[in-house]
Amino acid sequence: DTGVSQDPRHKITKRGQNVTFRCDPISEHNRLYWYRQTLGQGPEFLTYFQNEAQLEKSRLLSNRFSAERPKGSFSTLEIQRTEQGDSAMYLCASSFGYISSISVGDSYEQYFGPGTRLTVT
Amino acid sequence: RKEVEQDPGPFNVPEGATVAFNCTYSNSASQSFFWYRQDCRKEPKLLMSVYSSGNEDGRFTAQLNRASQYISLLIRDSKLSDSATYLCVVEGTGAGSYQLTFGKGTKLSVIP
């Protein structure tokens, strides 16, 4: 399977615990995104990496949330001291984008992984 | 005002019907526009990009009006397999931004 993969697919945790999710993007993609989706809503942007650099972060990403992409390949999203309001589907997406010497170039389709469903009890 | 607003739905239509979805967006700096499809408990998948000139892919036609900040999707000859949630998506809040902003989605049920 050469698509975006996420692990685990489901996570149940107690309030106050820390959790970490992993995303493996499509291998040739240099951009990686994290989104969160709650029931009845569209996905909401959390953060975005180009290679190993974290270039955008949403206001939704509180200081309990941290994301890394240390080698520009896989990424991890950690939530510390989980709260019941963190229960959601966490989606990872990847895409390819080029950079010219003049400006950041166009991006291409973002491919989504199957998501990690987090339940905080 | 929400950044991307869609018809709330749900839309329940018979097979063979034509159905139209509408969407408005608030950020005039937005750069790219898409319709994504999401099946129940699955990840979103790109249905089609939307261009100012309008574009068609088989039974699906998308239109963009930048002046009105309005996006539409038309599905002709609906099939049972078209049943899904359709997400209006806008990319970019300005130069160098590639985040996608999603509407809440419109649920379509095609009935035999």
Side-chain angles (χ1 to χ4, degrees):
Chain A
D1 184 356
T2 57
V4 179
S5 62
Q6 293 187 244
D7 183 68
R9 296 289 305 276
H10 300 91
K11 179 70 176 179
I12 300 173
T13 191
K14 292 185 177 179
R15 188 175 53 190
Q17 297 294 306
N18 299 343
V19 294
T20 300
F21 310 142
R22 177 180 170 122
C23 171
D24 286 89
I26 294 171
S27 58
E28 61 268 26
H29 286 180
N30 57 352
R31 292 181 179 163
L32 187 148
Y33 313 78
W34 285 99
Y35 294 84
R36 180 173 68 186
Q37 186 174 24
T38 53
L39 197 62
Q41 304 293 320
E44 295 174 296
F45 171 79
L46 293 178
T47 190
Y48 141 66
F49 292 85
Q50 173 130 329
N51 299 315
E52 66 276 6
Q54 189 173 19
L55 297 186
E56 281 189 85
K57 289 172 64 173
S58 165
R59 292 187 307 274
L60 293 174
L61 210 67
S62 77
N63 55 12
R64 297 185 298 104
F65 287 69
S66 62
E68 294 183 342
R69 195 183 183 198
K71 298 181 180 178
S73 56
F74 74 91
S75 175
T76 57
L77 177 68
E78 181 183 17
I79 309 174
Q80 296 182 326
R81 305 180 303 281
T82 52
E83 302 172 356
Q84 287 187 321
D86 297 332
S87 295
M89 175 75 86
Y90 289 84
L91 293 161
C92 176
S94 71
S95 72
F96 175 76
Y98 67 88
I99 301 175
S100 73
S101 59
I102 299 173
S103 65
V104 179
D106 291 334
S107 62
Y108 299 88
E109 176 182 353
Q110 293 187 24
Y111 291 83
F112 284 80
T116 295
R117 185 170 296 280
L118 173 66
T119 302
V120 182
T121 61
Chain B
R1 179 182 175 187
K2 289 194 179 295
E3 291 188 58
V4 179
E5 293 201 66
Q6 296 184 237
D7 287 347
F11 284 58
N12 299 312
V13 303
E15 272 187 288
T18 295
V19 61
F21 301 140
N22 304 311
C23 169
T24 57
Y25 62 95
S26 60
N27 189 338
S28 59
S30 299
Q31 300 161 38
S32 303
F33 309 88
F34 309 94
W35 284 98
Y36 273 70
R37 169 192 169 130
Q38 187 170 28
D39 293 290
C40 188
R41 303 184 76 83
K42 297 285 190 179
E43 71 272 21
K45 292 187 177 179
L46 179 66
L47 178 66
M48 58 197 304
S49 301
V50 189
Y51 305 113
S52 296
S53 54
N55 49 301
E56 187 174 312
D57 182 2
R59 298 181 293 108
F60 299 84
T61 301
Q63 294 275 353
L64 166 66
N65 184 321
R66 282 187 182 267
S68 303
Q69 296 180 199
Y70 171 88
I71 307 163
S72 66
L73 176 68
L74 186 75
I75 306 175
R76 292 181 300 278
D77 188 23
S78 299
K79 311 291 185 192
L80 294 176
S81 58
D82 293 336
S83 297
T85 296
Y86 290 82
L87 297 159
C88 178
V89 186
V90 171
E91 182 187 53
T93 57
S97 172
Y98 300 101
Q99 63 174 275
L100 298 181
T101 301
F102 289 78
K104 291 177 68 172
T106 303
K107 186 174 181 179
L108 171 67
S109 294
V110 181
I111 305 162

